[in-house]
Amino acid sequence: MASNRRDFFKALGASALAHTALTAAPTRFTAHAADRSGYKALVCVFLFGGLDCHDLILPYDAESYDQYAQLRSSLLDQQGTARQRNNLLPITPATSTVLEGRQVALPPEMPQLERLFAQGRAAIVGNVGPLIEPVTRERFESGSARLPPRLFSHNDQQAVWQASQPEGAQFGWGGLFADALLASGANASLPQFTTITTEEVGPFLTGRFAVPYRVSVAEAARVDFLEDYYDGLAGERAELLEAVRNQLTASSYRGDHLLERDMAAAFSGGLETNEAYSEARQQGISLSTRFPPTPLGMQLKTVAETINVRDRLFASRQIFFVGLGGFDTHSAQARNLPRLLSQIDGAFAAFQASMEFLGLGRDVTLFTASDFGRTLAVNGDGTDHGWGGHQIVLGGAVKGGEIYGSLPPPTLGHHADSGGGRLIPSMAVDSYAAELGRWFGLNESELSAALPGLTNFDSLADTFI
């Protein structure tokens, strides 16, 4: 039965993809396709709530640290020795000039990220955020700049990060990246495994044709439960179970009503997709990497296990979405944020180790995103909503050991301060996403279709991947 099920689903997927290619290619994907040989995956780790970028990359030279300590004295008092300068983990970019002579460090909760940075497998991309056009402080203060809608709103900025539009956006750039790949013939046998999430996801993975497939992080999650009951059964019981399966797959439906036909296809495809995924996971080799038993660790373990069975899912390109909440640190930041940073550190290190174990160290790139950064100024025991923020990019293909974008000084009133240390982004999300898309195999025409605001920004002088 398993082989019949797989054959059916491959045929179903090929039929759906043929329709996708016929309808999409003439109008949207006209340029010569980029190189899509081999396997590649993008993994988006969304940090919900707004990660405090000023606590991710900290000043380390004495002058900058003293400026920072004066502005954040109430938080530093609550953090005790954790943020004292001699406990920080200095990182030294090899050639980057964005620091302008300053020194920076990671927090003490991230020793494994510091090691990955030193090994050239991780990079920091500074001051990334939603933009419609380049914005200066002067234009911001005069009101002459075109700004993203509903700045500083959680739901809206999550959507703008994922889809270039506020809450209610329909298509995300991850889903549109997937559309381009599907239209060119990638993942033709099982297109349903192109965009995968372990988390309730907004628009990021939804394209005009790509639909996110959600997987469980539970150990040995199974959906082919009916097969457990077939062995040794005969007669009426076997017939009853077969009838249940036929009902779940709508295999007996023969009507012409469009809505009923679509619902029947959804029932059939959903069960077949779940069973194909479950079967592939059960037959994959075990990973030797030990992941931390944290929410993020378990999600990234699930992603690693799914990548491990990529050949059984007939996937040459995949985009994953995982999420971690708790970063809206208006209060109790000194207590809560270090635990979250430690969780990121352990999960990221285990994930990179698992990719190297699979021989995919250079073929999988993980990157972070978040609602926004936060204010440098404190409100007592926390920080408030910001705009630009710093991001982590991880993987063997990353030009690691470097800091890209910009890292404004830890002061108020500088050229990128929109008030209270809210950073005006120096790099648009569109530019950040485009770098990832080029590595992933999209050409410029496909990138422009997925990122319509990209034409408002110059190409990056220093590419991070």
Side-chain angles (χ1 to χ4, degrees), residues 80-97:
T81 62
R83 293 295 182 272
Q84 289 183 1
R85 181 172 175 268
N86 60 348
N87 286 329
L88 303 182
L89 305 173
I91 55 174
T92 305
T95 60
S96 178
T97 60

Side-chain angles (χ1 to χ4, degrees), residues 363-443:
D363 301 314
V364 179
T365 297
L366 178 152
F367 63 96
T368 62
S370 190
D371 313 17
F372 32 63
R374 303 191 76 82
T375 57
L376 177 60
V378 299
N379 61 19
D381 65 344
T383 55
D384 296 317
H385 298 179
W387 187 358
H390 310 326
Q391 307 302 331
I392 302 166
V393 186
L394 176 69
V398 173
K399 297 176 183 177
E402 294 286 4
I403 298 173
Y404 300 90
S406 72
L407 288 180
T411 59
L412 302 179
H414 54 70
H415 70 283
D417 182 9
S418 67
R422 288 187 177 93
L423 300 181
I424 299 171
S426 60
M427 182 185 296
V429 172
D430 303 71
S431 300
Y432 181 63
E435 277 301 293
L436 297 165
R438 291 185 184 99
W439 171 80
F440 201 49
L442 274 68
N443 60 39

Side-chain angles (χ1 to χ4, degrees), residues 57 124 132 178-179 189 207 223 287 296 316 350:
I57 307 298
I124 302 298
I132 296 175
D179 280 352
S189 293
V223 295
L287 296 176
L296 184 58
S316 63

Side-chain angles (χ1 to χ4, degrees), residues 48-49 66 70 92 105 154 160 176 185 191 248 303 317 320 341 346 357 368 447 465:
F48 289 97
D66 289 345
Q70 183 176 1
T92 305
H154 285 294
V160 171
L176 295 173
L248 290 173
V303 172
R317 290 291 186 276
F320 295 87
L341 295 175
F357 170 76
T368 62
L447 287 172
I465 188 171

